[in-house]
Amino acid sequence: MNDVSRVAGVSRGTVSNYINGRSVRPNTKLKIENAIKTLNYVPNATARALKTNRSNYVVWIIPTVNSPFFSELSYHMQIALDALGYKMILCNSNSQASKEMAYIEMAKTQKVAGIITMSYADISHLVSPDIPLVAIENRVTQNFPLIISDNYQGGFIAAEQLYQRGARRLLFISKTPVVGVSALREKGFKDFCQQNHIHYHRFIASDSVQFIDDFEQFINSNITYKSFNYDGIFSDSDEYASDFWHLLLQHHIAVPADVQIIGFDAAKIYARQQPMLSSIRQPIEKIVHIAVQQLQYQLSKPNTKSSLVKPIILPVTFIEGMTTK
Amino acid sequence: MNDVSRVAGVSRGTVSNYINGRSVRPNTKLKIENAIKTLNYVPNATARALKTNRSNYVVWIIPTVNSPFFSELSYHMQIALDALGYKMILCNSNSQASKEMAYIEMAKTQKVAGIITMSYADISHLVSPDIPLVAIENRVTQNFPLIISDNYQGGFIAAEQLYQRGARRLLFISKTPVVGVSALREKGFKDFCQQNHIHYHRFIASDSVQFIDDFEQFINSNITYKSFNYDGIFSDSDEYASDFWHLLLQHHIAVPADVQIIGFDAAKIYARQQPMLSSIRQPIEKIVHIAVQQLQYQLSKPNTKSSLVKPIILPVTFIEGMTTK
C-alpha cells in the first residue's frame, strides 16, 4: 500500500479508501489504478480480511470433486486463489439442492470473502447481491457474473470433426434427461448434421445410475456381422464416451479404425497424461482465470450493485486423443 | 449437551469439561461416555470452535487433487468432515516442500481445528504436538497418528494374481526414483516371485515428466514377431499402468488376452464408473474414516501428549477390471 501511495502521489489513507471500495475522486482513482498497474500490485486477502470484517475464505461449490473435470478445475481454482491469499473451502454438493443451500448459508455465517459455484439448485433466494459470487455453467441470479463454455459450438465442432475424418453413420449418446448444457451440445451436433444433410441417430440411456447396462444392450443389438452399425460417436460427456469406448473394445470393435469417438470436457485424468479420448476441451484455466478476476472485481467494488450481467461465453477446442483417425 | 447431561445424570458443566478435555472423575467420565454412546452424540464443530478459540476449519494437504486417487480421497474426506461440522480447506502442494510448509504456517495462524496431510516434505520442525494432526502415507513426526495402506502386501497380491491367471513372463514398471511406498510395492512383488521361483524384469522410466516416451521406446524394443515379450505387468501406479495399456493397444497387442496388467490404487475416475484397469485398491473410505476418527480423538483430548504412535496399516484388495483374464 505504501508503494502504491508513493507511485500515485496520494496519501496512504486514500489508497486504503480505494481498495476498500469507498469513494475517491475520479482523478485520484486514475492515479491509483495506474500505480497499481505499474507495480503489478495484488491486494492481499489477509490484509483486506482484517479491514473489512470478512474472512479470506472462498467457498467453492461443485457437484463432486471425484470426476476429472471437477478435479482439474478445483486444482487450478485453489492454486489461483492461493496466489491471491485466499483459502478455498471445498464443498461437494452431490447436486443436492439442500446441500448447496447449506453451503451458501455457511458462507454467509462465516462471512467468507466470496462464493464461486457450479450450483444446479435454485439458490437465487438465498444470495443477497452484497455477497460476492461468481457462477460457472449455471445462472444463479441476473446480478452475478456467469461463465460458460460454448456448449453449442462444442457439439457443432464434434460433428464437423467426425465428418472430416470420414464418419458418415453418426450417433449421439447420453443419458436421460438431455437438458441444459447437454441439450445445447446435442443442438450444435444436430445443426451441423442438418446443414450437411447427414442423418444422425441418438441413444439416450434411461437408467441414470446403471447406464452402462443400457449402453451394453444397445451395442449388442447394433452389431451386424461383427461390425458396429455406426462409425462416428459423439457424447456430451467424457464419462459416457469412455465407457462406450471400453464396451466396444470388449466386443472387439476397432476404435478408431472402424468407429471413432468424441467426448466432451477433455479434462485431464492425470495432470501429465496425454489425452486418451478425443474430446471437446472446456478451457479450464481460462474459466478459473475469469472466475477469480470477476470475484476480485466484486471485492474491489463492494458498493457497486450490478444488474443484468451478460454471460461470459468461452470458446472450446477439439483435442485429438486415441479415438479418432 | 443437555441430553448428555440428562442421560448421564451429571451437570451440564461437567459434560462441557469432558468435551473440552478438562479433567473429570473416572466414574463421571464413564457415565458421560456411555450417555454419548446411547445418544450417538457427535460434538458439534461450531460449538467447540466458539469455546476453544479454534476455528472449525480442517486443513487438507495433498500433492494435487487432479488425480483419481486424490480426488476420490478428497471427496470422501470433505463429506466426512462436513458431517461433523468441519469445513475443509483444500491445499495442493505439488509435492513442494515450501508449499507444504506455507500451508502448515497458515493452519497455525488461522487457528484451525486440525490438519490432515499427505506431506512429502519434512515438516516435523513446523508442527508442535499441540496442534491436532493426522498423517496419511508419510510419517510427519512420531507424535502423530500415521495411516498407511499395506503397500508390500499390494505388490505381493499383484504378482500372485498375475501368476494365478497364467502369466509367467512378469514385468514391473515404474518411473525413477523407486523409493518409499513404490519400493515397498515392488518388494512385495519381488518376494512373491522369489518364493515361487519366477524371474521378473523391471523397467524404470528415467524421465519423470516424459515417461510415456520411455515406455513407448521400451515397448518398441520388446516386440518380437508382433507379440510382446512379457505377459504379466504390474505397476506401482494406475497412471503408468493405464498409459502402458493404451500404448500396447496402439501396437495392436491384445490386453488381457496376450498381456495382463495390474495397477495400484484402483481409485475411481468417475464415482459411478466400473473399474477399467485391474488394480490393487487402497481402502479410501477406511482411510478417511480412521483419519477423521484420529483427528476427533486428538480434539477431544487436547491435553494428552502422545508419544511414539504406531502406524495404522490397512489391508488392500485386488479389483478386477478389463486388463486381467
Side-chain angles (χ1 to χ4, degrees):
Chain A
M1 207 128 70
N2 287 330
D3 291 338
V4 175
S5 145
R6 185 175 41 78
V7 173
V10 302
S11 77
R12 208 177 170 283
T14 309
V15 176
S16 164
N17 283 341
Y18 170 82
I19 287 170
N20 293 297
R22 285 186 289 271
S23 84
V24 289
R25 273 181 299 178
N27 194 24
T28 311
K29 198 179 143 195
L30 202 67
K31 280 183 194 165
I32 295 172
E33 284 172 354
N34 284 335
I36 287 175
K37 264 186 221 149
T38 309
L39 291 162
N40 203 10
Y41 168 77
V42 176
N44 180 281
T46 312
R48 183 154 50 214
L50 284 169
K51 288 217 162 204
T52 58
N53 194 28
R54 288 206 163 271
S55 72
N56 52 17
Y57 292 99
V58 170
V59 163
W60 167 236
I61 307 174
I62 49 172
T64 170
V65 77
N66 189 15
S67 131
F69 177 69
F70 293 117
S71 72
E72 193 183 348
L73 195 60
S74 298
Y75 171 81
H76 289 287
M77 193 65 82
Q78 192 267 322
I79 297 290
L81 289 171
D82 183 62
L84 297 172
Y86 295 105
K87 287 165 270 299
M88 189 179 91
I89 306 172
L90 176 68
C91 301
N92 295 290
S93 74
N94 286 317
S95 303
Q96 286 171 16
S98 60
K99 264 315 216 181
E100 288 174 1
M101 291 176 195
Y103 289 133
I104 297 277
E105 283 299 338
M106 179 269 280
K108 282 156 77 175
T109 55
Q110 299 281 328
K111 292 183 176 295
V112 300
I115 300 168
I116 306 180
T117 178
M118 295 191 72
S119 294
Y120 295 87
D122 179 10
I123 52 168
S124 57
H125 60 288
L126 285 175
V127 291
S128 49
D130 64 321
I131 188 161
L133 185 147
V134 178
I136 301 174
E137 200 164 280
N138 288 286
R139 173 72 82 187
V140 171
T141 81
Q142 297 260 325
N143 298 306
F144 295 113
L146 168 67
I147 304 165
I148 39 177
S149 291
D150 196 338
N151 292 295
Y152 174 87
Q153 192 63 19
F156 194 91
I157 293 170
E160 194 177 32
Q161 288 289 338
L162 288 171
Y163 185 77
Q164 283 174 0
R165 288 154 199 266
R168 291 295 178 271
R169 290 162 287 126
L170 302 189
L171 175 70
F172 172 77
I173 58 166
S174 188
K175 60 170 192 175
T176 192
V178 182
V179 292
V181 296
S182 295
L184 278 171
R185 291 168 189 179
E186 186 179 5
K187 182 75 169 64
F189 187 77
K190 185 183 184 176
D191 283 1
F192 178 89
C193 290
Q194 280 190 339
Q195 287 168 27
N196 293 276
H197 312 290
I198 311 157
H199 189 69
Y200 84 94
H201 280 98
R202 66 200 297 264
F203 177 71
I204 312 301
S206 55
D207 187 327
S208 65
V209 178
Q210 295 301 320
F211 55 85
I212 199 157
D213 298 339
D214 283 2
F215 287 165
E216 172 66 21
Q217 218 180 332
F218 176 80
I219 291 172
N220 260 323
S221 59
N222 277 281
I223 291 180
T224 318
Y225 298 112
K226 289 187 181 171
S227 99
F228 192 54
N229 295 345
Y230 302 92
D231 63 358
I233 299 171
F234 169 56
S235 175
D236 62 312
S237 147
D238 276 353
E239 181 178 5
Y240 317 145
S242 68
D243 277 334
F244 212 90
W245 176 20
H246 287 91
L247 288 173
L248 287 174
L249 287 180
Q250 286 185 312
H251 284 273
H252 306 287
I253 305 292
V255 176
D258 298 329
V259 181
Q260 300 185 73
I261 307 173
I262 297 179
F264 209 104
D265 281 352
K268 289 179 181 170
I269 294 172
Y270 298 95
R272 281 199 288 243
Q273 204 171 42
Q274 325 257 355
M276 294 202 255
L277 188 78
S278 297
S279 186
I280 303 298
R281 170 89 180 167
Q282 293 207 54
I284 288 180
E285 291 89 343
K286 191 103 193 168
I287 293 171
V288 166
H289 178 78
I290 295 179
V292 172
Q293 199 178 55
Q294 290 290 327
L295 193 76
Q296 284 276 94
Y297 181 79
Q298 291 175 65
L299 284 161
S300 67
K301 314 256 179 196
N303 300 319
T304 320
K305 282 227 166 44
S306 52
S307 57
L308 239 148
V309 183
K310 267 198 205 161
I312 300 162
I313 301 172
L314 302 177
V316 295
T317 45
F318 173 69
I319 302 285
E320 195 170 349
M322 291 169 54
T323 56
T324 45
K325 282 191 250 194
Chain B
M1 206 129 70
N2 287 330
D3 291 338
V4 175
S5 144
R6 185 176 40 79
V7 173
V10 301
S11 77
R12 206 175 170 286
T14 309
V15 177
S16 164
N17 283 341
Y18 169 83
I19 287 170
N20 292 298
R22 285 186 288 271
S23 86
V24 290
R25 273 181 297 178
N27 193 23
T28 311
K29 198 179 145 195
L30 202 67
K31 280 184 194 166
I32 295 172
E33 284 173 353
N34 284 335
I36 287 173
K37 266 187 219 149
T38 309
L39 291 163
N40 203 10
Y41 167 78
V42 176
N44 180 281
T46 313
R48 183 153 49 215
L50 285 168
K51 290 219 160 202
T52 58
N53 194 29
R54 289 209 162 268
S55 72
N56 51 17
Y57 293 99
V58 170
V59 163
W60 167 234
I61 307 174
I62 49 173
T64 171
V65 76
N66 189 15
S67 133
F69 176 70
F70 292 118
S71 72
E72 192 182 347
L73 195 59
S74 297
Y75 171 80
H76 289 288
M77 194 65 83
Q78 191 268 322
I79 297 291
L81 288 170
D82 183 62
L84 296 173
Y86 295 105
K87 287 165 269 298
M88 189 179 91
I89 306 172
L90 176 68
C91 301
N92 295 290
S93 73
N94 286 317
S95 303
Q96 286 171 16
S98 61
K99 266 315 220 179
E100 288 174 1
M101 290 177 195
Y103 290 133
I104 298 277
E105 282 300 337
M106 178 269 280
K108 282 156 79 174
T109 55
Q110 299 282 330
K111 292 184 176 292
V112 301
I115 301 169
I116 306 179
T117 179
M118 294 190 72
S119 295
Y120 295 88
D122 179 9
I123 52 168
S124 57
H125 60 290
L126 285 174
V127 291
S128 48
D130 64 321
I131 189 162
L133 185 148
V134 178
I136 301 174
E137 201 166 281
N138 288 287
R139 174 71 83 186
V140 172
T141 81
Q142 298 260 326
N143 299 306
F144 295 113
L146 168 67
I147 303 165
I148 40 175
S149 292
D150 195 337
N151 293 294
Y152 173 87
Q153 192 62 20
F156 195 91
I157 293 171
E160 193 177 33
Q161 287 290 337
L162 288 170
Y163 185 77
Q164 283 174 1
R165 288 154 198 266
R168 291 296 178 271
R169 289 161 289 127
L170 301 189
L171 176 70
F172 172 78
I173 58 166
S174 189
K175 61 171 190 175
T176 191
V178 182
V179 293
V181 296
S182 295
L184 277 172
R185 291 169 190 179
E186 186 180 5
K187 181 74 168 64
F189 187 77
K190 184 183 185 177
D191 283 0
F192 178 89
C193 289
Q194 281 190 337
Q195 287 169 26
N196 292 276
H197 313 289
I198 311 157
H199 189 68
Y200 83 96
H201 280 99
R202 65 199 298 263
F203 176 71
I204 312 302
S206 55
D207 188 328
S208 64
V209 177
Q210 295 300 322
F211 54 86
I212 199 156
D213 296 341
D214 284 0
F215 286 165
E216 171 67 20
Q217 219 180 329
F218 176 79
I219 291 172
N220 261 321
S221 59
N222 277 282
I223 290 181
T224 318
Y225 299 113
K226 289 186 182 172
S227 99
F228 192 56
N229 294 347
Y230 302 92
D231 62 359
I233 300 170
F234 169 57
S235 175
D236 62 313
S237 146
D238 276 353
E239 181 178 6
Y240 318 145
S242 68
D243 277 334
F244 213 89
W245 176 19
H246 287 89
L247 288 173
L248 287 174
L249 287 180
Q250 286 185 312
H251 283 275
H252 307 287
I253 305 291
V255 176
D258 297 332
V259 182
Q260 301 185 74
I261 308 173
I262 296 178
F264 209 103
D265 281 352
K268 289 180 182 171
I269 294 171
Y270 298 95
R272 281 199 289 241
Q273 203 172 43
Q274 324 257 357
M276 294 202 256
L277 187 79
S278 297
S279 186
I280 304 298
R281 169 89 181 167
Q282 292 207 53
I284 288 182
E285 291 89 342
K286 190 102 193 170
I287 293 171
V288 167
H289 178 78
I290 295 179
V292 172
Q293 198 178 54
Q294 290 290 326
L295 194 74
Q296 284 276 92
Y297 181 79
Q298 290 173 67
L299 284 161
S300 68
K301 315 258 180 194
N303 300 321
T304 320
K305 282 223 166 45
S306 51
S307 57
L308 240 147
V309 183
K310 267 197 205 162
I312 300 162
I313 300 171
L314 302 177
V316 295
T317 45
F318 172 69
I319 302 285
E320 194 170 351
M322 291 167 53
T323 56
T324 45
K325 283 192 252 194

